């Protein structure tokens, strides 16, 4: 049976990659959705998909329930950010249409709160998965593997994005939404407040050299303390490839915190244009690092270090991988338990990393 997949934002930077990755699958029929029918149809026609792709209008700010009802999808993939300003209207529309749903949300409240739709999803017999992205899907996969060999006590990790990575206003709004804002993270066994983009420090990467980082807010910070009961400290960090942008954001965060600047996410479009002026300083290379500390079954201290180096602007492909794998699994007949929940226990680390083949991405384990 053909899986009819509606990709909302399907002709954008992230959605376009997902569409191109799924187009050759003979078990999938794509519906490219967005606010502009001409763009959606033109993109769909250019896919040369195994099954003819079509374009349709779906405006998440309008009436997505009616629009999706007219399409009749089996799976809805929401690729339209930023998610921190969205309601669950798209997921609710998918439920009303009797379709499964997933997204690449990295907004903490959005992903952690998706359980509010659990009863409705179970009644409709559909699966709703939020956060099918680098965080928390990939980060949890790393920790799940570590937890097989140790009691995890401390985990620290970060993402340093390349500046030429076709970042749109939605992506920039998501990152800047927590700059200078307060949120909590696990420290010494208790949830404690921290300010976004504080905690300035450098990490030396293989190949990339020194990259600068500061505190970021992601769904993991709310999900992992319960998921890994032995965890004592947990932090996520974000950073820019280009130092001047990183330090500029750090200074801006301080000004936001003391009230001299408003929230930065309202200026996302302007910040995208400003950051583009510095693209010539970058090399299109992104990095991810994770340090996991704990004890083995005999009490011996253990440390695992993981690195991911992405070149040629391939870093933004990494958060797209979970939704691609979910669609393929469903096309092959995989059925996930009905209900609404964060995307955990769905994508294994081996499956995730197998998707790096054919990309200029290197994974290193120490």
């Amino acid at each position: 049976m053909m899986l009819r997949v509606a990709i909302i934002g399907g002709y954008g930077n992230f959605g376009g990659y997902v569409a191109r990755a799924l187009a050759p699958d003979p078990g999938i029929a794509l519906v490219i959705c967005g606010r502009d029918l001409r763009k959606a149809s033109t993109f769909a026609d250019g896919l040369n998909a195994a099954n003819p792709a079509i374009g349709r209008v779906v405006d998440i700010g309008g009436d997505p329930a009616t629009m999706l009802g007219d399409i009749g999808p089996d799976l809805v993939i929401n690729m339209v950010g930023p998610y921190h300003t969205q309601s669950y209207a798209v997921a609710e529309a998918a439920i009303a249409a009797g379709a499964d749903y997933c997204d690449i949300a990295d907004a903490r409240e959005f992903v952690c709160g998706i359980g509010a739709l659990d009863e409705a999803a179970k009644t409709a017999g559909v699966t709703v998965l939020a956060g099918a992205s680098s965080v928390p899907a990939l980060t949890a996969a790393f920790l799940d593997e570590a937890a097989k060999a140790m009691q995890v006590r401390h985990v620290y990790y970060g993402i340093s994005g390349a500046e030429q990575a076709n970042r749109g206003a939605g992506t920039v709004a998501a990152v800047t939404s927590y700059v200078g804002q307060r949120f909590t993270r696990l420290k010494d066994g208790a949830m404690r407040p921290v300010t976004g983009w504080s905690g300035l420090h450098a990490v030396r990467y293989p190949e990339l050299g020194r990259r600068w980082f500061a505190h970021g807010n992601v769904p993991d910070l709310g999900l992992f303390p319960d998921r890994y009961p032995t965890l004592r400290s947990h932090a996520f960090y974000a950073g820019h490839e280009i130092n001047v942008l990183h330090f500029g954001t750090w200074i801006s965060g301080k000004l936001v915190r003391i009230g001299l600047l408003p929230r930065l996410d309202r200026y996302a479009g302007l910040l995208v244009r400003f950051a583009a002026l510095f693209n010539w300083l970058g090399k299109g290379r992104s990095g991810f690092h994770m340090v996991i500390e704990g004890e083995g079954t005999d009490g011996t201290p253990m440390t695992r270090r993981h690195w991911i180096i992405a070149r040629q602007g391939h870093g933004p492909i990494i958060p797209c991988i979970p939704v691609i794998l979910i669609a393929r699994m469903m096309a092959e007949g995989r059925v996930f338990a009905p209900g609404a929940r964060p995307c955990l226990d769905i994508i294994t680390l081996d499956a995730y990393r197998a998707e790096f083949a054919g990309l200029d991405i290197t994974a290193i384990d120490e």
Side-chain angles (χ1 to χ4, degrees):
M1 181 178 176
M2 195 77 63
L3 185 76
R4 189 170 173 86
V5 179
I7 306 177
I8 304 178
Y11 53 81
N13 291 331
F14 291 98
Y17 180 80
V18 172
R20 287 188 289 271
L22 295 178
D25 195 314
I28 292 176
L30 291 176
V31 184
I32 305 302
C33 305
R35 291 180 294 181
D36 190 313
L37 179 59
R38 183 186 61 81
K39 290 182 179 180
S41 298
T42 299
F43 185 89
D45 292 342
L47 281 174
N48 192 29
N51 300 293
I54 60 174
R56 289 290 185 269
V57 173
V58 175
D59 183 354
I60 67 171
D63 183 9
T66 298
M67 298 171 191
L68 286 177
D70 292 340
I71 292 170
D74 300 304
L75 171 65
V76 174
I77 303 178
N78 180 12
M79 300 296 294
V80 181
Y83 298 90
H84 72 281
T85 58
Q86 286 187 40
S87 69
Y88 294 129
V90 178
E92 290 169 334
I95 293 171
D100 296 311
Y101 167 94
C102 60
D103 59 45
I104 61 167
D106 57 3
R108 180 171 175 174
E109 289 76 15
F110 185 97
V111 176
C112 293
I114 196 67
L117 303 183
D118 190 54
E119 184 177 347
K122 287 178 177 176
T123 299
V126 299
T127 304
V128 172
L129 299 171
S133 185
S134 302
V135 289
L138 175 59
T139 47
F142 273 114
L143 277 170
D144 289 346
E145 283 298 311
K148 295 176 183 178
M150 70 168 85
Q151 292 191 49
V152 177
R153 301 295 187 190
H154 312 282
V155 59
Y156 312 97
Y157 47 97
I159 297 174
S160 174
E163 301 310 324
Q164 304 97 325
N166 294 322
R167 291 182 176 181
T171 303
V172 172
V175 174
T176 55
S177 68
Y178 55 72
V179 174
Q181 307 300 315
R182 297 286 273 178
F183 53 87
T184 59
R185 63 108 170 178
L186 185 67
K187 182 179 180 181
D188 299 327
M191 297 299 288
R192 305 181 189 276
V194 66
T195 300
W197 222 265
S198 65
L200 184 70
H201 67 283
V203 175
R204 184 162 294 279
Y205 272 71
E207 181 181 330
L208 303 184
R210 187 175 63 179
R211 289 287 178 98
W212 287 93
F213 290 89
H215 280 291
N217 192 15
V218 289
D220 309 25
L221 299 181
L223 297 172
F224 287 4
D226 288 334
R227 183 175 177 82
Y228 308 102
T230 62
L231 198 59
R232 297 283 299 168
S233 296
H234 177 207
F236 168 80
Y237 301 100
H240 293 286
E241 176 189 14
I242 299 171
N243 288 345
V244 65
L245 294 178
H246 186 89
F247 289 111
T249 306
W250 176 66
I251 293 170
S252 297
K254 289 185 173 295
L255 296 176
V256 169
R257 183 63 192 155
I258 63 176
L260 294 181
L261 278 180
R263 288 176 59 107
L264 298 183
D265 50 330
R266 67 178 63 181
Y267 302 111
L270 177 63
L271 291 172
V272 169
R273 294 191 293 274
F274 176 76
L277 299 175
F278 298 89
N279 280 353
W280 63 278
L281 292 173
K283 297 181 179 180
R285 299 183 300 181
S286 302
F288 166 86
H289 71 278
M290 175 177 273
V291 179
I292 307 170
E293 300 174 345
E295 299 95 35
T297 55
D298 60 355
T300 302
M302 296 180 65
T303 300
R304 292 189 176 189
R305 292 181 174 86
H306 304 283
W307 313 88
I308 297 176
I309 311 298
R311 310 168 193 86
Q312 300 186 61
H314 287 182
I317 295 173
I318 296 174
C320 297
I321 288 174
V323 296
I324 294 168
L325 293 177
I326 288 167
R328 288 176 180 165
M329 286 188 282
M330 288 184 174
E332 293 170 356
R334 173 81 176 270
V335 176
F336 298 104
R341 55 194 180 275
C343 186
L344 302 168
D345 304 312
I346 301 293
I347 310 299
T348 66
L349 185 58
D350 287 343
Y352 207 120
R353 295 169 91 171
E355 291 298 304
F356 294 167
L359 300 172
D360 198 356
I361 295 176
T362 301
I364 303 168
D365 302 311
E366 297 179 353

